[in-house]
Amino acid sequence: QVKVVESGGGLVHPGGSLRLSCAASASIASMQRMGWYRQAPGRERELVATITRGGSTTYADSVKGRFTISRETAKTTVYLQMNSLKPGDTAGYYCKFTTSGSNSQEYWGQGTQVTVSD
């Protein structure tokens, strides 16, 4: 069982920045990818950004150029730097850890709330 813990959410004004962190209780060697997803009230959970063990990244079109995902391999930690935040970015942000191998497993964190408002 892999424990996934997010942190760094909060209230920020439009145009502001936040950095989210996600730490997994597993070695980087067991990781296939880690990713950030978000879910706003009344909406389905959507992909924000992912990063593989090798460092390849993907982003949702809505956040390209504003958000950056990165990893710290020694701590199996992933960060999401969010700049130029908009009210539409308001959501619960969730981290998912996907293990490598033929029997891949997915583990979710409890989420951290990001609110962008005046």
Side-chain angles (χ1 to χ4, degrees), residues 34-102:
M34 289 177 73
W36 287 97
Y37 296 73
R38 66 187 182 186
Q39 186 169 20
R43 302 189 66 177
E44 293 188 354
R45 189 169 294 187
E46 63 176 2
L47 169 72
V48 176
T50 66
I51 188 167
T52 68
R53 183 176 61 211
S56 298
T57 58
T58 60
Y59 294 93
D61 288 343
S62 60
V63 306
K64 283 181 180 177
R66 300 189 297 124
F67 291 10
T68 302
I69 190 169
S70 61
R71 76 197 190 293
E72 185 174 350
T73 56
K75 298 180 180 180
T76 316
T77 299
V78 169
Y79 304 97
L80 186 68
Q81 178 66 43
M82 305 186 294
N83 299 327
S84 302
L85 282 162
K86 306 174 182 179
D89 296 317
T90 295
Y93 282 71
Y94 299 86
C95 182
K96 183 175 75 171
F97 179 96
T98 305
T99 63
S100 58
S102 58

Side-chain angles (χ1 to χ4, degrees), residues 6-50:
E6 304 100 333
S7 61
L11 173 65
V12 64
H13 294 308
S17 298
L18 279 176
R19 189 175 84 152
L20 305 183
S21 299
C22 172
S25 63
S27 69
I28 195 69
S30 66
M31 164 191 157
Q32 180 185 76
R33 73 171 49 82
M34 289 177 73
W36 287 97
Y37 296 73
R38 66 187 182 186
Q39 186 169 20
R43 302 189 66 177
E44 293 188 354
R45 189 169 294 187
E46 63 176 2
L47 169 72
V48 176
T50 66

